[in-house]
Amino acid sequence: MSDDAAEKALLRRELLGARRLLTEDDVHAFAAALADRALGLPELTAAGAVAAYVSVGREPGTRALLDVLRARGVRVLLPVLQSDNDLDWAEYEGPDRLAPAGRGLLEPTGPRLGTAAVLGADTVLLPGLAVDARGMRLGRGGGSYDRVLARIDAAGHDPARVVLLYANEVVARVPEEPHDHPVHAVVTPRGVTRFAS
């Protein structure tokens, strides 16, 4: 394991430990504030299609955000985890059209649109554990979103890339490996930070 990979593993453990300390009330309050901040983003108000995800456990909450985007007429694409950790996509059709999936995830039950469906998104909302002042994002380590971002880059597509986090997860430095991709902005319950592209 490289030094950067080892640093990432340590940072992941620390941040996941901090999330475990959040109460249900904390999670709900932060989710409401996060949705308020995110829904004012030009990247979301002007989007016709958004690739997002369903938050689970103590992740920064996305469910209210998904419902408001859908009510606005935005096409919301949600990931479907494949056996090789790549992501297929399906359209969000409401909370009653989500089903439990592996790893504690909730996934849409509608038709699968293929791995390239993300190329139709104007904005990609990314899960993560941290982001630093350069916009480098730390994910959970499965590589699913690294593949998505590499696919976007290879296609020459340039959607807005926004990560949703808690305020304490904006850190001084995220260890960087060659496959990592920076984001354009981070939204926390306290506000929005943008990064130079």
Side-chain angles (χ1 to χ4, degrees), residues 7-26:
E7 284 182 58
K8 281 184 172 182
L10 178 60
L11 186 55
R12 282 187 186 103
R13 280 194 300 276
E14 290 172 4
L15 293 166
L16 287 169
R19 282 187 180 180
R20 280 191 289 276
L21 297 176
L22 295 172
T23 67
E24 285 294 316
D25 288 342
D26 292 334

Side-chain angles (χ1 to χ4, degrees), residues 77 82 87-90 111-119 151:
L77 301 174
Q82 300 182 112
L87 298 178
D88 198 339
W89 299 87
R112 303 302 184 246
L113 304 172
T115 58
V118 71
L119 301 177
R151 182 172 292 119

Side-chain angles (χ1 to χ4, degrees), residues 52-67:
Y53 61 97
V54 181
S55 58
V56 293
R58 287 181 168 73
E59 281 186 308
T62 63
R63 296 189 197 197
L65 181 59
L66 300 177
D67 289 331

